[in-house]
């Protein structure tokens, strides 16, 4: 039986913070799913899941490249 789209979780399971050097662009914010983080940052779910798993490409290094920190919290 295929899985339905979307998540039924009602509690926040992830924390996300976006910063450039010492400047915080998005303070530590809690989200229910990785898809919610992707929608808030305007990125794809695949990009966010790669960042979450630590598969960040080093070929894109710019002077003002933001650091996106995603941490799973107990839900």
């Amino acid at each position: 039986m295929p899985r339905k789209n979307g998540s039924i979780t009602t509690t926040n399971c992830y924390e996300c913070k976006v910063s450039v050097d010492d400047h915080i662009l998005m303070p530590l914010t809690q989200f229910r799913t990785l898809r919610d983080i992707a929608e808030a940052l305007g990125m794809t779910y695949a990009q966010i899941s790669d960042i979450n798993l630590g598969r960040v490409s080093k070929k894109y290094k710019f002077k003002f490249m933001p650091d996106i920190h995603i941490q799973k919290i107990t839900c």
Side-chain angles (χ1 to χ4, degrees):
M1 186 164 167
R3 182 174 175 246
K4 294 180 181 179
N5 287 338
S7 174
I8 58 171
T9 185
T10 58
T11 59
N12 294 329
C13 296
Y14 294 95
E15 290 180 334
C16 181
K17 176 180 150 184
V18 180
S19 62
V20 175
D21 294 330
D22 295 335
H23 302 287
I24 297 175
L25 301 177
M26 184 177 82
L28 194 63
T29 309
Q30 293 186 351
F31 293 94
R32 292 183 317 143
T33 63
L34 290 175
R35 190 164 306 279
D36 292 341
I37 296 173
E39 290 174 2
L41 297 180
M43 300 174 75
T44 64
Y45 173 78
Q47 291 171 323
I48 294 298
S49 63
D50 284 344
I51 291 170
N52 184 43
L53 294 175
R55 293 184 287 193
V56 181
S57 176
K58 299 294 181 187
K59 68 180 180 179
Y60 300 115
K61 273 299 192 187
F62 300 103
K63 186 174 183 178
F64 300 108
M65 188 75 160
D67 295 321
I68 301 172
H69 300 282
I70 300 172
Q71 181 178 5
K72 183 160 177 62
I73 56 177
T74 56
C75 53

